[in-house]
């Protein structure tokens, strides 16, 4: 748009054009041309700024939203937006609503850059800063409300968290002073709701926002600090707290060259440092290129070379039990824990005699000394005991799961051990692992077989290979040895006790009440056990029981539990033979299908919706298979 | 797929005491038999490697431990050093077993002597003497003192723990590399009788060292977990070349094979480790003994495929291995 310079013309016509185009969806096209030019023109020229402000202010209210959204998305930065819009948000009610409420709280689809633009724009003028504080308070209230945490999708919570962090980064000291107390109360209430959630992502968001708020309001004195796993998301969120110096992306403008030159300088300094480290590395590598006549000395196998331990590990299972229950000798205890899994696997008969006792000890044993990986070692030993003597130990463990006076951690450990053992027993490759391959050096070395017997096979194979034309190479993986699926016979012992008592609350353990996290884990465990029991005899009975269980819990409020329930349905559909399903539980399946359709449309959690959709597809496939099968 | 480490070719038993030192003498012409000398408490056993039995037992140190044996030239002249503070020269020709000469060192330490042939019928022997930090170099068979190497006052090196005399080729000036109790290795210039270069290699006493004069590189081991490899630069100054971490601490003996391709270390963890000398590439871990290995020695067979490695241990056994003999 090239207005003849200086003449007095009305911009309201232009505003209307812009407004109409934007409302009809042409935001990108028209603003893609307008905004860069306007940004450039308003850079230094006040008159152009005023023209621009008049332009946006004259847009009729019914089209204001579309225009504003377009501007906010295409503006290259918060200060550009500020120049383009002026104090529109203060003067125009509709604009204020769009910028402070609609963009931030009522939807969550825009990028972080848009958030930066909006909130930066609000912070750049004193008139607008009051709005910024109001926005922050509203955001924090929404963030902290427990119903929002439980029912709104993860993406929306992420969006609000980002907005909060950006607001915090813009606030100045005196402003924080004025609303310190409110920020604190909101933050404390909010962090509690977040930490209660079963989804790890929500917990992390809560922790990061709480940490950031605490840093801002307690500049001196102890700040809140949480421990969580860092990854790209957390890095991104934390980076929002620090405002980077704004540099415009519009090319070929004289001012920006300075900014970019400054930004380039730090980059150059970094690059200059790198060659120094590189030159240090090079001399070492050069010496390696000397001719090496040592290469013809072939090293022997040195895998048996281990550190000498001063205490010997016990060699008998019963000795291990003695050490774990009685002994005070820390070194012996260490050596026992490390050796236990191996011993259990090598002495199955001896283990079977004391299996339940060993399981009991392992469930209760606590870390006495700081050895690395204590939890892993203990879990491996427990899995070994369970796979060696599945039925009694499974009975013991499942009964303990529902007993009094265990910590949540112990109950979840029981579930983990059951799953790992089930996986091991149903997987063929573990069958071959138990052969002691080259554990001890043979004292007498067998003479190598005389060449003739092995070679003929090789020669014949070669000849066949050279004569056959292959069209496609199949998978060249060696075939694993087949072995019987040990899980089939004990699947019921693992599964049914776990599913029986879930609705009976104990004084210290209430699955349906507070301990919904454990319920979620239980449901996931049942799904895995169901899946692994695909070829067991009791699979149909299991499937029926699980379907009833899922039906009872299907409206649970916790998203993690719902995800588990949907996984259970998947497992049932995959494991129970289709014919049995249709025979026994046809009506239940139809009801389940209705429920799944409901979940796909209305469940707030994205993962739940996805799982429900997968289940519906599985059911469709099942039906198709049955229709085409000759019966 | 690496092969499992080899088993010993044979094991010599019958010493009834911990074996402290070994020395091969196999380079003789046929019909001589190859011989292994082993020193332990009180006796030096002469083993016939063909029959694998003790031919003779030499008792010259009053039942005190013998901790160094070496032949002077042919195998009928033997030097043995014992805890009775004496170094005895034996005449073993034609079945005799008599001590023809002895040197009274007055040293109560454990430092093994080092022998170097400098000319026909002339040897230099470096040994620790009565004074705590001194090393004396004697010329044999005349037993005249060539020089006494005294570190400067206040150096606090402690006792010399291991010695190695070397010269670049016959006729050039001899040098001595000595490892001391404080962990440092010193290069002594014998013609001037002074310290030429000093390098602190270890935090613990240097237990053993060996030096390759062709490559001007040496290796030292101590009671910690590190092997230190050092070299001489153009000015003949010691500098650290590299270090090698071991799995278990404690090395009692190191020896480089005469073809300078591999070296063997005797460890307190009952294992013998073989490394490639060029780059300290670990080659094998020989696990046979059940107590700490005190000494390792390579044989001097003329025929390379017959070469052997012997290890003597506190468990009274001498294991003899044939390893990397083809190269």
């Amino acid at each position: 748009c090239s207005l003849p310079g200086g003449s007095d013309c009305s911009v309201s016509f232009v505003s209307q054009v812009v407004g109409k185009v934007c409302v009809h969806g042409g935001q990108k096209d028209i603003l893609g041309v307008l905004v860069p030019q306007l940004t450039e023109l308003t850079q230094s020229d006040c008159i152009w700024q005023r023209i621009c402000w008049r332009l946006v202010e004259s847009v009729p209210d019914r089209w204001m939203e579309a225009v504003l959204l377009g501007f906010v998305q295409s503006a290259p930065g918060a200060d550009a937006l500020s120049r383009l819009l002026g104090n529109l948000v203060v003067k125009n009610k509709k604009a204020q609503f769009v910028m402070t409420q609609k963009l931030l709280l009522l939807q969550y689809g825009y990028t972080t850059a848009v958030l930066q633009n909006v909130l930066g724009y609000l912070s750049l003028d004193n008139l607008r800063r009051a709005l910024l504080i109001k926005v922050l308070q509203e955001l924090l209230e929404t963030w902290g409300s427990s119903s929002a945490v439980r029912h709104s999708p993860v993406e929306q919570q992420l969006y609000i968290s980002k907005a909060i962090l950006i607001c915090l980064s813009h606030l100045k000291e005196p402003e924080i002073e004025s609303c310190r107390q409110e920020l604190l109360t909101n933050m404390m209430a909010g962090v509690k709701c977040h930490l209660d959630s079963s989804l790890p992502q929500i917990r992390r968001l809560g922790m990061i926002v709480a940490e950031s708020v605490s840093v801002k309001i307690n500049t001196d004195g102890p700040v809140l600090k949480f421990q969580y796993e860092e990854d790209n998301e957390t890095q991104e969120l934390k980076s929002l707290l620090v405002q980077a110096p704004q540099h415009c992306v519009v090319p070929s403008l004289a001012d920006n060259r300075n900014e970019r030159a400054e930004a380039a300088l730090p980059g150059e300094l970094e690059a200059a440092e790198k060659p120094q480290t590189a030159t240090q590395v090079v001399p070492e590598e050069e010496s390696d290129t000397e001719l090496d006549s040592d290469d013809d000395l072939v090293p022997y196998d040195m895998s048996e070379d281990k550190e000498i331990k001063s205490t010997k590990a016990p060699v008998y299972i019963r000795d291990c039990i003695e050490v774990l229950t009685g002994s005070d000798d820390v070194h012996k205890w260490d050596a026992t824990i490390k050796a236990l899994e191996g011993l259990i696997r090598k002495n199955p008969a001896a283990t079977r005699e004391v299996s339940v006792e060993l399981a009991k000890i392992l469930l209760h044993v606590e870390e006495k000394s700081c050895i690395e990986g204590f939890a892993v070692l203990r879990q491996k030993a427990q899995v070994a005991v369970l796979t060696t003597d599945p039925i009694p130990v499974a009975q013991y463990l499942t009964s303990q799961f529902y007993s009094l006076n265990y910590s949540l951690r112990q109950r979840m450990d029981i579930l983990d051990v059951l799953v790992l053992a089930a996986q091991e027993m149903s997987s063929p490759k573990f069958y071959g692992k138990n052969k002691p391959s080259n554990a001890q050096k043979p004292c007498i070395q067998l003479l190598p077989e005389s060449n003739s017997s092995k070679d003929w096979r090789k020669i014949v194979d070669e000849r066949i290979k050279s004569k056959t034309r292959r069209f496609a190479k199949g998978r060249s993986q060696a075939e694993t040895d087949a072995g019987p699926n040990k899980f089939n016979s004990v699947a019921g012992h693992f599964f049914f006790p776990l599913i029986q008592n879930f609705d009976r609350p104990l004084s210290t353990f209430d699955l349906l009440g507070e301990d919904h996290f454990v319920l979620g884990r239980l449901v996931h465990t049942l799904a895995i056990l169901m899946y692994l029991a695909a070829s067991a005899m009791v699979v149909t009975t299991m499937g029926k029981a699980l379907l009833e269980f899922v039906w009872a819990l299907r409206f649970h409020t916790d998203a993690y539990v719902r995800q588990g329930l949907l996984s259970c349905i998947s497992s049932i559909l995959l494991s129970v033979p289709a014919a049995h399903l249709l025979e026994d539980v046809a009506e239940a399946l139809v009801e389940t299908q209705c429920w799944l359709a409901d979940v796909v449309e209305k469940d707030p959690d994205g993962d739940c919706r996805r799982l429900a959709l997968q289940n519906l597809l599985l059911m469709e496939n099942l039906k198709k298979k049955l229709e085409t099968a000759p019966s | 797929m690496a092969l499992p480490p080899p088993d010993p070719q044979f094991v010599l038993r019958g010493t009834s005491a911990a074996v402290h030192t070994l020395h091969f003498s196999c380079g003789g012409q046929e019909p001589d038999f190859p011989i292994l000398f082993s020193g332990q408490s009180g006796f030096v056993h002469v083993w016939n490697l063909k029959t694998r039995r003790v031919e003779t037992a030499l008792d010259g140190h009053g039942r005190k431990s013998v901790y160094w044996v070496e032949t002077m030239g042919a195998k009928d002249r033997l030097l043995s050093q014992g805890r009775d503070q004496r170094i005895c020269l034996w005449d073993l020709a034609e079945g005799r077993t008599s001590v023809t000469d002895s040197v009274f060192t007055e040293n109560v330490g454990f430092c093994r002597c080092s022998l170097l042939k400098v000319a026909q019928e002339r040897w230099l022997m470096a040994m620790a003497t009565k004074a705590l930090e001194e090393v004396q170099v004697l010329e044999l068979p005349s037993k005249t003192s060539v020089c006494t190497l005294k570190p400067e006052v206040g150096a606090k090196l402690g006792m010399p723990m291991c010695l190695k005399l070397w010269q670049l080729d016959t006729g050039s000036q001899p040098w001595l590399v000595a490892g001391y109790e404080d962990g440092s290795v010193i290069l002594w210039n014998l013609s001037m009788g002074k310290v030429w270069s000093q390098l602190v290699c270890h935090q613990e006493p240097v237990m053993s060292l060996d030096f390759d004069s062709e490559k001007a590189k040496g290796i030292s081991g101590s009671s910690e977990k590190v092997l230190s490899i050092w070299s001489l630069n153009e000015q003949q100054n010691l500098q650290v070349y590299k270090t090698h971490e071991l799995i278990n601490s404690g090395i009692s003996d190191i020896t480089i094979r005469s073809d300078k391709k591999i070296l063997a270390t005797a460890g307190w963890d009952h294992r013998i480790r073989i490394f490639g000398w060029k780059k300290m590439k670990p080659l094998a871990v020989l696990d046979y003994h059940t107590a700490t290995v005190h000494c390792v020695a390579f044989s001097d067979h003329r025929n390379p495929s017959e070469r052997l490695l012997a290890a003597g241990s506190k468990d009274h056994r001498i294991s003899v291995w044939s390893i990397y003999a083809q190269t």
Side-chain angles (χ1 to χ4, degrees):
Chain A
C1 113
S2 49
L3 291 176
S7 52
D8 204 23
C9 42
S10 155
V11 276
S12 58
F13 175 64
V14 184
S15 316
Q16 300 217 358
V17 170
V18 171
K20 192 121 197 217
V21 173
C22 287
V23 140
H24 286 298
Q27 282 161 334
K28 279 219 187 76
D29 305 324
I30 191 167
L31 291 177
V33 173
L34 258 187
V35 169
Q37 296 225 359
L38 282 176
T39 323
E40 195 178 323
L41 290 168
T42 53
Q43 188 83 26
S44 41
D45 194 341
C46 269
I47 302 186
W48 271 105
Q49 280 187 11
R50 282 199 210 289
I51 298 182
C52 193
W53 297 347
R54 282 282 295 160
L55 184 73
V56 250
E57 281 162 27
S58 319
V59 173
D61 269 355
R62 59 189 181 284
W63 300 328
M64 178 63 82
E65 181 185 330
V67 174
L68 264 186
L69 291 178
F71 263 95
V72 159
Q73 279 178 300
S74 46
D79 53 346
L81 195 61
S82 169
R83 288 198 305 270
L84 291 173
L85 297 182
N87 281 338
L88 180 65
V89 81
V90 177
K91 296 180 201 164
N92 187 317
K93 284 277 168 233
K94 179 86 189 206
Q96 192 178 75
F97 176 71
V98 169
M99 295 285 258
T100 61
Q101 305 275 27
K102 193 148 190 184
L103 263 182
L104 301 171
L105 295 168
L106 295 178
Q107 57 78 50
Y108 54 96
Y110 290 111
T111 63
T112 319
V114 168
L115 279 176
Q116 295 267 22
N117 283 351
V118 171
L119 296 168
Y121 161 68
L122 285 180
S123 72
L124 280 175
D125 186 289
N126 287 333
L127 284 177
R128 304 196 286 255
R129 285 190 86 93
L131 284 176
L132 184 69
I133 300 183
K134 196 161 83 95
V135 159
L136 176 61
Q137 284 173 341
E138 282 178 9
L139 281 172
L140 264 182
E141 269 182 52
T142 318
W143 175 79
S145 97
S146 62
S147 62
V149 172
R150 261 183 293 158
H151 297 295
S152 54
V154 179
E155 293 78 18
Q156 185 167 25
Q157 301 197 32
L158 182 60
Y159 188 81
I160 293 187
S161 307
K162 282 188 192 169
I164 294 179
L165 291 173
I166 299 177
C167 275
L168 284 174
S169 70
H170 282 291
L171 282 186
K172 294 199 196 115
E173 227 350 88
E175 290 158 343
I176 299 182
E177 266 306 316
S178 60
C179 55
R180 175 168 298 198
Q181 200 50 41
E182 285 175 45
L183 287 180
L184 187 60
T185 14
N186 279 335
M187 186 264 281
M188 294 305 279
V191 87
K192 181 175 175 308
C193 304
H194 281 264
L195 290 178
D196 265 343
S197 157
S198 312
L199 295 171
Q201 205 179 5
I202 305 275
R203 292 201 292 266
R204 232 177 23 185
L205 278 179
M207 291 195 252
I208 294 177
V209 172
E211 275 185 8
S212 319
V213 172
S214 139
V215 160
K216 277 283 170 175
I217 62 182
N218 295 340
T219 42
D220 52 342
V223 294
L224 204 52
K225 193 90 184 85
F226 285 104
Q227 253 186 338
Y228 45 79
E229 271 177 37
E230 298 271 349
D231 70 355
N232 290 340
E233 198 178 277
T234 61
Q235 303 284 7
E236 191 198 333
L237 286 171
K238 284 203 190 148
S239 68
L240 294 175
L241 258 190
V242 180
Q243 275 299 314
Q246 299 269 343
H247 34 249
C248 286
V249 192
V250 180
S252 73
L253 284 181
D255 309 349
N256 289 350
R257 272 193 225 117
N258 288 340
E259 277 182 9
R260 266 187 296 131
E262 281 170 24
L265 267 180
E268 276 173 20
L269 280 174
E270 272 185 58
E273 283 175 27
K274 283 205 191 124
Q276 282 178 15
T277 45
T279 48
Q280 280 166 5
V281 177
V282 166
E284 281 186 41
E285 288 180 24
E286 278 175 6
S287 55
D288 276 333
T289 57
E290 284 175 22
L291 276 178
D292 191 359
S293 65
D294 267 358
D295 277 345
D296 52 358
L297 295 169
V298 177
Y300 287 95
D301 177 29
M302 290 180 275
S303 58
E304 294 288 320
D305 191 14
K306 291 178 202 111
E307 245 183 270
I308 297 253
K309 286 177 216 142
S310 46
T311 12
K312 287 210 182 135
V315 190
Y316 297 107
I317 300 276
R318 290 183 192 270
D319 288 346
C320 292
I321 294 182
E322 260 185 57
V323 171
L324 287 175
T325 48
S327 163
D328 282 328
D329 182 355
V330 182
H331 295 293
K332 234 185 174 169
W333 194 90
D334 277 354
T336 310
I337 286 279
K338 285 187 193 157
L340 191 53
E341 188 207 350
L343 281 179
I344 293 175
R345 289 197 190 270
K346 278 194 211 153
N347 302 306
T351 312
R352 275 191 272 265
E353 290 170 21
V354 289
S355 58
V356 179
E357 199 184 325
L358 199 49
K360 197 163 163 185
I361 295 171
L362 284 172
L363 191 57
H364 292 98
V365 76
E366 277 166 17
E367 190 166 355
K368 244 192 207 165
S369 61
C370 289
I371 42 176
E372 264 181 52
F374 169 75
V376 175
L377 288 169
R378 184 173 76 155
Q379 193 177 64
K380 281 196 180 161
Q382 283 174 310
V383 171
V385 174
L386 187 49
T387 51
T388 316
D389 197 10
I391 298 180
V393 178
Q395 277 175 352
Y396 172 72
L397 285 178
T398 48
S399 65
Q400 296 305 300
F401 180 73
Y402 284 110
S403 302
L404 291 173
N405 293 334
Y406 278 100
S407 70
L408 290 184
R409 179 77 257 167
Q410 281 171 317
R411 297 189 207 267
M412 295 201 288
D413 277 346
I414 292 180
L415 293 176
D416 287 340
V417 169
L418 287 169
V419 164
L420 286 172
Q423 277 179 331
E424 190 183 309
M425 288 198 288
S426 56
S427 146
K429 61 179 190 276
F430 282 85
Y431 192 63
K433 227 182 190 182
N434 287 331
K435 291 198 207 107
S437 38
N438 27 355
Q440 295 102 11
K441 277 189 295 190
C443 305
I444 307 170
Q445 277 178 351
L446 300 170
L447 291 171
E449 280 185 26
S450 59
N451 294 332
S452 46
S453 54
K454 289 271 172 176
D455 277 355
W456 68 261
R457 198 172 278 158
K458 248 199 301 187
I459 295 174
V460 172
D461 278 345
E462 288 288 308
R463 277 211 200 123
I464 296 180
K465 213 159 76 166
S466 61
K467 296 276 170 74
T468 2
R469 254 176 45 186
R470 289 188 189 263
F471 295 102
K473 271 212 173 117
R475 284 170 74 196
S476 50
Q477 250 181 21
E479 284 192 17
T480 45
D481 294 331
N485 183 333
K486 291 194 251 182
F487 184 57
N488 287 343
S489 40
V490 298
H493 293 275
F494 278 44
F495 182 84
F496 289 112
L498 279 182
I499 207 174
Q500 262 168 9
N501 297 328
F502 74 96
D503 48 0
R504 223 190 287 161
L506 300 166
S507 60
T508 57
F509 182 51
D510 184 12
L511 265 184
L512 292 179
E514 280 186 345
D515 300 316
H516 49 85
F517 185 61
V518 185
L519 178 65
R521 291 290 279 265
L522 175 63
V523 174
H524 277 98
T525 305
L526 291 171
I528 299 177
L529 289 177
M530 181 77 230
Y531 179 70
L532 289 172
S535 37
M537 295 283 283
V538 296
V539 66
T540 319
T541 336
M542 279 168 71
K544 279 202 284 198
L546 194 55
L547 210 46
E548 280 181 32
F549 175 76
V550 169
W551 197 248
L553 288 176
R554 68 191 186 281
F555 291 127
H556 202 274
T557 49
D558 187 334
Y560 185 60
V561 174
R562 288 201 304 274
Q563 286 170 10
L565 293 172
L566 291 165
S567 317
C568 284
I569 301 276
S570 309
S571 303
I572 298 176
L573 291 173
L574 288 170
S575 298
V576 181
H580 292 189
L581 271 181
L582 282 188
E583 252 179 61
D584 296 338
V585 289
E587 318 85 35
L589 275 185
V590 172
E591 289 179 348
T592 315
Q593 200 169 21
C594 296
W595 169 56
L596 286 174
D598 204 40
V599 170
V600 169
E601 283 176 36
K602 298 191 195 141
D603 194 300
D605 184 73
D607 284 328
C608 283
R609 291 198 298 270
R610 191 176 39 89
L611 284 170
L613 193 55
Q614 280 177 354
N615 284 334
L616 283 173
L617 282 172
L618 277 173
M619 285 181 122
E620 280 300 313
N621 285 344
L622 215 63
K623 269 203 286 189
K624 272 195 214 146
K625 232 195 290 182
L626 283 173
E627 279 163 19
T628 56
S631 68
Chain B
M1 198 29 211
L3 293 168
D7 290 323
Q9 206 177 51
F10 52 90
V11 175
L12 302 173
R13 295 158 211 260
T15 57
S16 64
V19 179
H20 290 293
T21 179
L22 291 169
H23 182 78
F24 276 96
S25 176
C26 310
Q29 306 285 355
E30 291 294 312
D32 280 338
F33 43 79
I35 277 188
L36 174 63
F37 295 99
S38 76
Q40 48 277 340
S41 304
F43 295 96
V44 174
H45 283 187
V46 182
W47 298 82
N48 179 335
L49 289 177
K50 278 235 176 77
T51 63
R52 301 174 186 168
R53 292 212 195 290
V54 178
E55 282 276 318
T56 351
L58 310 172
D59 180 9
H61 291 275
R63 300 301 164 99
K64 294 273 170 64
S65 249
V66 175
Y67 56 91
W68 178 66
V69 283
E70 191 147 337
T71 49
M72 258 172 76
K75 62 172 182 278
D76 48 4
R77 263 198 298 193
L78 183 71
L79 283 169
S80 68
Q81 183 183 19
R83 290 279 291 150
D84 59 348
Q85 304 171 23
R86 279 198 328 160
I87 301 177
C88 295
L89 174 61
W90 299 77
D91 173 24
L92 302 174
E94 291 154 16
R96 295 191 285 270
T97 58
S98 53
V99 179
T100 49
D101 209 352
S102 71
V103 176
F104 195 50
T105 62
E106 296 180 78
N107 171 260
V108 295
F110 293 91
C111 181
R112 295 175 178 153
C113 304
S114 174
L115 191 68
L116 179 69
K117 182 166 187 174
V118 288
Q120 190 70 352
E121 290 301 312
R122 256 186 70 215
W123 285 268
L124 285 180
M125 183 174 77
M127 60 185 207
T129 60
K130 181 174 180 184
L132 194 58
E133 295 188 346
E134 279 179 21
V135 174
Q136 193 175 38
V137 180
L138 290 185
E139 192 196 315
L140 294 179
S142 56
K143 296 200 296 190
T144 49
S145 168
V146 170
C147 57
T148 313
L149 305 171
K150 249 191 285 233
E152 58 192 36
V153 180
K156 290 217 178 151
L157 295 170
M159 298 192 300
M161 303 288 296
C162 39
L163 305 167
K164 173 94 184 170
L165 282 168
W166 61 278
Q167 58 182 141
L168 200 46
D169 34 66
T170 335
S172 64
Q173 76 161 319
W175 298 81
L176 171 70
V177 183
Y180 286 83
E181 204 182 342
D182 70 334
S184 53
V185 170
I186 294 193
L187 177 67
W188 291 89
N189 182 327
L190 291 181
S191 42
M192 292 198 278
K194 284 202 312 187
V195 174
W196 189 261
S197 167
Q198 179 174 4
L199 180 69
V200 177
C201 297
H202 297 277
Q203 312 297 325
E204 303 277 321
V206 180
M207 286 292 162
S208 169
L209 57 78
D210 202 357
F211 188 73
D212 176 1
S213 48
E214 289 165 30
K215 297 204 186 106
K217 225 165 55 161
I219 178 170
S220 60
S222 92
S223 50
E224 47 185 24
K225 276 191 187 184
V226 176
L227 285 173
S228 174
I229 299 111
W230 27 270
S231 63
L232 296 180
N233 60 9
E234 300 79 36
Q235 292 87 22
Q236 304 283 65
N237 283 331
L238 289 169
Q239 58 192 22
V240 174
Y241 183 73
K242 63 154 87 151
T243 55
H244 182 88
E245 270 284 319
L246 297 165
I247 293 184
N248 292 309
S249 54
I251 294 284
S252 38
D253 198 9
I254 302 182
T255 177
I256 305 175
R257 199 161 73 174
S258 49
D259 65 351
K260 314 287 191 243
K261 282 205 179 157
I262 62 175
L263 67 96
T265 66
W268 292 358
D269 60 349
H270 325 326
R271 294 175 196 156
I272 305 152
R273 289 163 203 280
I274 312 280
F275 295 90
W277 177 222
K278 202 155 190 181
K279 287 206 223 145
M280 277 312 280
K281 178 164 103 164
L283 290 175
V285 174
L286 305 174
D287 193 6
Y288 168 76
H289 289 283
T290 52
T292 152
V293 183
H294 282 309
C295 49
V296 275
F298 280 104
S299 71
D300 52 348
H301 282 94
R302 294 249 175 92
N303 185 353
S305 59
E306 288 175 18
R307 286 177 297 186
L308 301 168
L309 162 72
S313 156
K314 193 171 162 190
D315 62 1
H316 310 185
R317 311 261 184 274
I318 301 169
S319 54
V320 181
W321 312 72
S322 168
I323 190 163
Y324 293 119
Q326 287 78 27
T327 52

